[in-house]
Amino acid sequence: MPPRDALAAAALETLPITVAVLDDDGEILLTNESWRAFEGDELSTDHVGVNYVATAAMDRDDDDHAARAVEGIEAILAGDRETFSMEYPCHSPQQKRWFLMRASRFSADGEMRVSVIHLDITDRKLAEIAAEASAEQVREEHRALEHVLHRVDGLVRDVTDAAVGAGTRDEIERQVCQRLVDTEPYVLAWIGRVDVATQRITPQTWAGHDDIPLEDDELVLESEDDRSHPAVQALEAGDSHVIQDLESFEAADRWWPTCAGEHVQSVAAIPLEYGDVTYGVLVLFAAESGVFDGRELPVLESLAGTVSTALNAIETQQMLTTETVVELEVAIEDPSLFVTSLADTLEAMITYRGLTYDESGTPLAFFHVDEIDGAVDVATNIEGVEQVTVVTEYDDGLLLELALVDGLVPALATHGAVIQRFDVDGRVADLTLELPNGQSARATYNMITERYDRVELLSYQESNRPAKTPRDVSAQLDERLTDRQQMALQKAYYADYFEWPRDVSGEELAASMGVSRSTFHQHLRAAQRKLLEELFAADPTSEG
């Protein structure tokens, strides 16, 4: 389980409301990104460590709102009340603004704390002012906006607490679903996960009324039978999908007959995404039609973002401790893929040797080409290849170093994928990747299928790492090797410099790095020493 404080801070950073946590003296201990980014706040440049109550009290004689805020927070600090809220204006020379402040008392590790949030309610206030001519319109708008405020104040707080307090993914999903159905008019919520191999969406966790059964059938992405399902549409589009009136939606009976009756009138499906990684989909049903309007849906999407952030934090922690990895193997048949273009033009076989990065972070991929004539010219003219270097020449071909500024290899790196194999024989590229978890595997597979026309999933399997892996050694070396030392070591290895007899000289490798022979050997010797120290568990006394 990741540290609660770290997970709470990560979740708070995503909230669209300003949040601060005070100690029992009123001093600010923690703020979120919205608080720090708020323009015009006098605490915006020096918030942590500032006494919030004392700062507000400086204006209490001239500002009734400041006086009320100080009174309310002081009552909470004194233990006379648990919560306090108030609305106040905070106008700037450029615009008029109003906010809702809410302070709540809680305890953490036996210490009393106070959370303070400020919610922008300017839209509601402006709507009330503009609607003064129509009392009924004002009342209706007020009720609608109060409804949204209630959800923001309740749902955001409770769902965030559920996400922050949970220790596993299952627990987060279960508590979030339960909290949602505890709020009217929601009657059923479920979270589905996607199997990357079968492309099936399986309802993993659900909560709702006992007389509303969960559907039994799995849903399949890109299936004509299931395409109308909002969960399928949300995942395929990467955006929320809403049906405001199920009774008028003909396809509802095909994908969930039991929920098209009196219990359920509208449905929203919201993808759970963090960056490029999709964790699943949240599907929420309401007993009233038209619930998921322009006010309701943004709140739910913000909640989904908070849940995704919590899921990512847990997955990140698990990646650091688990011994399980996912191996994904695909075949790509597309002439636009740079290795396929190279192999097709030269009528040659391409074999992947390895990957490193230069000082600017540009990937440098090493490929053996079993054809010498014209290889450099062809590779240079391929889109996405910035520079081509001949590392060494063999009897049966060349070892090329390709600096890749765009395309598949840089994209794989952003998904945390490690290339195990990337070979081309004919018109089909065989790509084998190692990924940290199923979510990364699914996101990577989706990225590949979106880029290329014909992609076939050859295998998908989870396996355990051995007790000590090359990746473990590599992680330690990354902290000790300089960029030049790592590049010298990797180039020498990929070019078979350590074979005997050597097919490449130190001068050639030095030239490919743009350094002198002596400098190259200095980097190489330092890297070799650190590698051996790591392998033999030596206690290094020098960083070279």
Side-chain angles (χ1 to χ4, degrees):
M1 174 179 177
R4 179 183 177 90
D5 289 345
L7 186 56
L12 285 174
E13 291 295 295
T14 68
L15 297 180
I17 54 178
T18 62
V19 180
V21 177
L22 315 182
D23 65 11
D24 53 3
D25 292 324
E27 184 175 300
I28 297 176
L29 300 177
L30 175 70
T31 61
N32 72 340
E33 176 63 23
S34 295
W35 182 287
R36 296 190 295 273
F38 178 66
E39 296 181 0
D41 191 332
E42 62 183 350
L43 303 179
S44 60
T45 58
D46 188 16
H47 34 80
V48 175
V50 173
N51 192 294
Y52 183 88
V53 177
T55 302
M58 296 173 60
D59 299 324
R60 66 190 306 171
D61 293 336
D62 301 321
D63 189 338
D64 292 338
H65 299 294
R68 288 180 57 202
V70 170
E71 278 183 28
I73 295 177
E74 286 181 340
I76 293 176
L77 293 173
D80 297 331
R81 61 190 304 172
E82 293 295 317
T83 63
F84 169 77
S85 64
M86 60 172 282
E87 295 178 7
Y88 65 96
C90 183
H91 303 321
S92 69
Q94 293 76 25
Q95 61 177 327
K96 292 183 177 295
R97 297 179 297 188
W98 289 265
F99 291 87
L100 168 69
M101 187 199 81
R102 179 182 177 88
S104 301
R105 177 189 181 98
F106 69 100
S107 63
D109 297 328
E111 300 289 335
M112 193 274 288
R113 299 287 185 258
V114 176
S115 65
V116 179
I117 70 169
H118 294 265
L119 178 66
D120 189 340
I121 59 171
T122 301
D123 289 345
R124 176 169 66 85
K125 284 293 186 179
L126 292 176
E128 290 175 353
I129 294 173
E132 286 178 352
S134 174
E136 179 60 31
Q137 181 180 354
V138 169
R139 286 193 294 270
E140 183 176 349
E141 184 68 17
H142 182 77
R143 287 194 297 267
L145 291 170
E146 283 293 335
H147 177 69
V148 174
L149 287 176
H150 172 73
R151 292 184 183 281
V152 170
D153 195 32
L155 280 176
V156 170
R157 181 186 65 245
D158 292 348
V159 171
T160 300
D161 288 346
V164 170
T168 66
R169 178 175 180 176
D170 289 341
E171 187 178 355
I172 289 177
E173 293 174 345
R174 183 173 61 254
Q175 291 193 25
V176 167
C177 288
Q178 187 58 57
R179 178 60 188 90
L180 287 169
V181 299
D182 286 342
T183 303
E184 293 184 354
Y186 305 141
V187 293
L188 180 67
W190 61 266
I191 291 177
R193 302 181 191 176
V194 180
D195 187 307
V196 68
T198 64
Q199 294 292 285
R200 294 182 179 275
I201 307 172
T202 303
Q204 190 73 23
T205 306
W206 75 288
H209 293 207
D210 293 337
D211 54 351
I212 302 180
L214 187 67
E215 58 182 321
D216 295 327
D217 295 336
E218 293 179 334
L219 302 168
V220 181
L221 295 177
E222 300 182 0
S223 167
E224 289 300 326
D225 292 338
D226 296 328
R227 188 172 295 277
S228 63
H229 198 293
V232 174
Q233 296 205 21
L235 284 174
E236 290 186 344
D239 199 6
S240 301
H241 187 77
V242 172
I243 300 175
Q244 295 285 23
D245 186 4
L246 280 175
E247 290 186 355
S248 61
F249 188 70
E250 296 180 359
D253 287 338
R254 291 202 297 271
W255 50 258
W256 203 338
T258 56
C259 281
E262 60 182 11
H263 292 297
V264 173
Q265 298 297 321
S266 56
V267 58
I270 307 166
L272 299 175
E273 298 176 329
Y274 185 89
D276 290 335
V277 179
T278 300
Y279 289 98
V281 58
L282 168 64
V283 184
L284 188 60
F285 292 84
E288 302 172 5
S289 60
V291 168
F292 305 105
D293 57 15
R295 300 184 182 95
E296 190 85 0
L297 192 59
V299 174
L300 295 173
E301 290 174 337
S302 176
L303 291 178
T306 300
V307 173
S308 299
T309 300
L311 292 174
N312 177 263
I314 286 181
E315 291 287 350
T316 301
Q317 180 67 19
Q318 290 176 343
M319 280 190 287
L320 299 176
T321 58
T322 185
E323 294 183 354
T324 301
V325 294
V326 175
E327 185 177 270
L328 181 70
E329 183 180 2
V330 297
I332 306 173
E333 186 175 358
D334 192 313
S336 67
L337 182 60
F338 73 98
V339 286
T340 306
S341 176
L342 182 61
D344 190 35
T345 304
L346 295 174
E347 297 182 353
M349 184 169 69
I350 309 295
T351 306
Y352 174 76
R353 286 289 187 86
L355 181 70
T356 187
Y357 296 86
D358 66 12
E359 294 87 344
S360 64
T362 300
L364 304 178
F366 297 84
F367 290 93
H368 179 274
V369 182
D370 67 351
E371 175 62 45
I372 297 176
D373 295 337
V376 174
D377 291 337
V378 173
T380 302
N381 292 322
I382 294 176
E383 185 178 357
V385 178
E386 182 180 53
Q387 184 176 348
V388 179
T389 303
V390 177
V391 180
T392 186
E393 183 174 331
Y394 305 97
D395 292 337
D396 61 345
L398 298 173
L399 181 64
L400 298 181
E401 174 193 295
L402 306 182
L404 304 172
V405 295
D406 192 15
L408 182 59
V409 172
L412 291 174
T414 63
H415 284 71
V418 177
I419 301 175
Q420 301 295 330
R421 181 187 180 197
F422 196 7
D423 303 339
V424 182
D425 189 0
R427 297 178 178 272
V428 179
D430 292 324
L431 175 63
T432 301
L433 304 171
E434 184 182 278
L435 297 121
N437 54 48
Q439 285 70 43
S440 295
R442 168 172 164 71
T444 301
Y445 180 73
N446 285 345
M447 179 270 293
I448 295 173
T449 57
E450 289 171 0
R451 282 174 174 261
Y452 303 107
D453 292 336
R454 298 185 63 182
V455 178
E456 180 182 358
L457 179 63
L458 300 180
S459 69
Y460 175 94
Q461 58 183 355
E462 294 185 359
S463 60
N464 291 326
R465 293 190 181 102
K468 184 70 172 179
T469 70
R471 186 180 301 279
D472 299 325
V473 176
S474 178
Q476 295 296 324
L477 287 173
D478 282 343
E479 297 180 359
R480 300 189 58 206
L481 295 179
T482 66
D483 291 340
R484 283 295 196 177
Q485 291 168 358
Q486 187 172 52
M487 182 180 293
L489 187 62
Q490 289 177 310
K491 284 201 173 192
Y493 175 74
Y494 297 143
D496 293 331
Y497 178 76
F498 301 110
E499 299 291 333
W500 188 261
R502 291 172 177 164
D503 291 314
V504 63
S505 67
E507 287 86 354
E508 291 174 302
L509 292 175
S512 74
M513 290 180 61
V515 298
S516 67
R517 178 178 178 275
S518 61
T519 300
F520 168 76
H521 283 292
Q522 181 182 1
H523 290 320
L524 184 61
R525 284 194 298 272
Q528 288 174 306
R529 185 179 69 252
K530 292 178 182 180
L531 173 61
L532 293 174
E533 286 171 348
E534 190 62 42
L535 288 174
F536 298 130
D539 183 14
T541 59
S542 174
E543 291 300 317

